[in-house]
Every structure is written in C-alpha cells, then in structure tokens.
Amino acid sequence: MDQRPTTKRSAAAPTGRFITFEGGEGAGKSTQVKRLAERLRAAGAEVVTTREPGGSPGAEEIRDLLVHGEAARWDPVTETLLHFAARRDHLTKTVWPALERQAWVVCDRFADSTRAYQGAGQGGDAVLIEDLYRQVVGAFAPCMTFILDLPVETGLARAAARNEGGERYEGMDRTFHERLRQGFLEIARREPQRCRVIDATAAEDAVAAAVWSALAEHRQAVS
Ligand code: TMP
C-alpha cells in the first residue's frame, strides 16, 4: 500500500472563504485580520482568524524555530522546508476543517510569504517553492489575498516600535526588505484576480474600508 502523505484532502476543502493578508514587516496585517473578521462576524458569519507560521499547536512550535535566533540560522532550503512543514500542519489541523464546516478563514500570511521571503528576499529556488506548494498544499489556494504595501523604512520603524515576535526577519538587512517588497508586488502583478495591493500607509480605518470594498467587489465578480 502507498503510505505517502496525500494532499487529497485539500481538493475537498472549499476555497471561497479563505482570505490571506500579506506584506512586509509592520504593514498592519494582524490589525486588518481582526478588522475584517469583526466585520464578517457582524454580518453573521463564523470566522476563524489564524496566522503563519503557526495557527496550530505543532505549527506554533515550528514558528519558534523560525522567528527567533540568528538571521543566518537556516539556509534558504531548510527554512523553506520548515515553513511548508508548519503550513501542512496548519492546513490539516485548522484551515481545512474550518472551511469544511463552511466557516471563513482569515489568515495572517500564507504561501506568498514563502515566495517573497525565502524566494525573492533570501534568493531561494522559486521552482522548489512551487514544487513544494503542489505537493504540500495541492490545488488549494486563497480566494483573495490582500497585500499591504508600504515603504520599507516605515514598516521597519512600526515593527520596531511594537517590538513584535518576528525579530529574526526584522534583523535582516534593508536590501532584503526591499527585495521582499518587490517580491510581493510581483506576485500581485502575476495574479491580479486573487491579489489586491492596498496602500498600508493610509489610516487603519481607510485600510479596513479598502479591504472590505475590494472583498465585496470580488465576491460580486465571482458570484
Ligand atoms: P509575523 O511577524 O508576520 O507573524 O511573521 C513571522 C515572520 O515569518 C515574518 O518575519 C515573515 C516570516 N515568514 C517567512 O519568512 N516565510 C513564510 O512563509 C511565512 C509564513 C512567514
């Protein structure tokens, strides 16, 4: 009998309610995840908010390995594998079960972060990332991705002021963060149906309003 792990389950999970937020450090994703979830709940929906790396007990343990320690602690391949290991656990334990019971899932980062951080930022192999995506995630993808975009200096200053958990990545040099920003913008250019770039220098309320109206517009277009 073939004992290899299967991605079969991913094909069954509906994707229409899986929304991701992406962006560099200090873009305000976690605030916007909360704001969108509140608004969906006010409209009567069940909403699960979650994050990557993390979002399930096992993936949170892997997160600790990724966000702490020296910048050069992992080489790009090891780091990519750790992110996909965490992602698989998160999908099977948290995301897919929620979607199967018709809940919305609003997630702070997903695979675009691997493309941008390990691919564009760290110079990792884009082919490896896409191969792993197919094997680990399968045909499953977010229905909509908001890329919160802002200048690198502004984002790093905000993140430092908040003293958040991702200090290992914040410690990488400025050119890394610039490649990262361009990496996210390139993903948005490649996948305009799924991705919306939102100006994250705007006030929190304005960003939340832009997210809500883009989601409403998207749902009208696909219904
Ligand atoms: P957070 O600070 O947004 O919670 O994310 C933790 C760090 O993990 C952040 O600096 C970005 C990084 N990251 C990657 O490098 N690759 C990934 O695939 C994901 C999901 C996050």
Side-chain angles (χ1 to χ4, degrees):
M1 198 177 130
D2 190 349
Q3 294 291 321
R4 284 175 304 175
T6 175
T7 55
K8 239 192 232 157
R9 188 161 182 200
S10 65
T15 60
R17 295 189 178 90
F18 181 47
I19 297 174
T20 58
F21 281 82
E22 297 280 4
E25 306 300 319
K29 290 175 291 79
S30 38
T31 305
Q32 293 301 327
V33 164
K34 277 194 215 118
R35 297 282 302 253
L36 178 60
E38 279 162 14
R39 201 137 181 199
L40 286 166
R41 284 186 189 117
E46 184 200 345
V47 186
V48 172
T49 59
T50 187
R51 68 172 181 181
E52 286 205 351
S56 62
E60 289 290 332
E61 287 187 37
I62 299 172
R63 178 188 173 93
D64 279 342
L65 299 173
L66 284 160
V67 302
H68 301 300
E70 299 281 303
R73 181 176 185 187
W74 310 109
D75 90 318
V77 174
T78 313
E79 188 148 340
T80 299
L81 292 168
L82 286 169
H83 278 292
F84 272 103
R87 181 158 300 131
R88 176 77 189 178
D89 195 65
H90 179 223
L91 285 169
T92 58
K93 305 276 172 47
T94 304
V95 176
W96 290 338
L99 292 172
E100 278 161 12
R101 60 172 196 268
Q102 307 299 315
W104 288 76
V105 177
V106 183
C107 189
D108 187 338
R109 299 194 183 282
F110 188 60
D112 294 323
S113 279
T114 314
R115 296 179 174 116
Y117 277 76
Q118 282 66 54
Q122 296 178 326
D125 181 355
V127 173
L128 172 71
I129 294 171
E130 297 311 324
D131 282 351
L132 285 169
Y133 190 100
R134 271 188 294 278
Q135 295 295 329
V136 171
V137 184
F140 177 80
C143 65
M144 219 179 161
T145 296
F146 294 101
I147 294 177
L148 303 190
D149 179 61
L150 81 176
V152 167
E153 299 300 349
T154 317
L156 287 176
R158 280 194 197 171
R162 285 201 307 253
N163 196 17
E164 285 175 346
E167 77 271 17
R168 183 168 159 257
Y169 291 95
E170 283 167 39
M172 293 181 183
D173 66 32
R174 200 187 170 291
T175 57
F176 166 84
H177 291 281
E178 203 47 68
R179 288 194 299 277
L180 184 65
R181 183 183 188 195
Q182 295 312 319
F184 278 123
L185 294 174
E186 177 56 31
I187 293 167
R189 277 192 288 274
R190 271 203 317 264
E191 291 192 66
Q193 295 285 88
R194 174 172 69 86
C195 301
R196 291 286 177 289
V197 178
I198 306 275
D199 173 10
T201 61
E204 186 188 310
D205 284 351
V207 175
V211 165
W212 186 252
S213 73
L215 179 62
E217 191 188 297
H218 183 264
R219 289 188 71 75
Q220 246 179 1
V222 296
S223 67

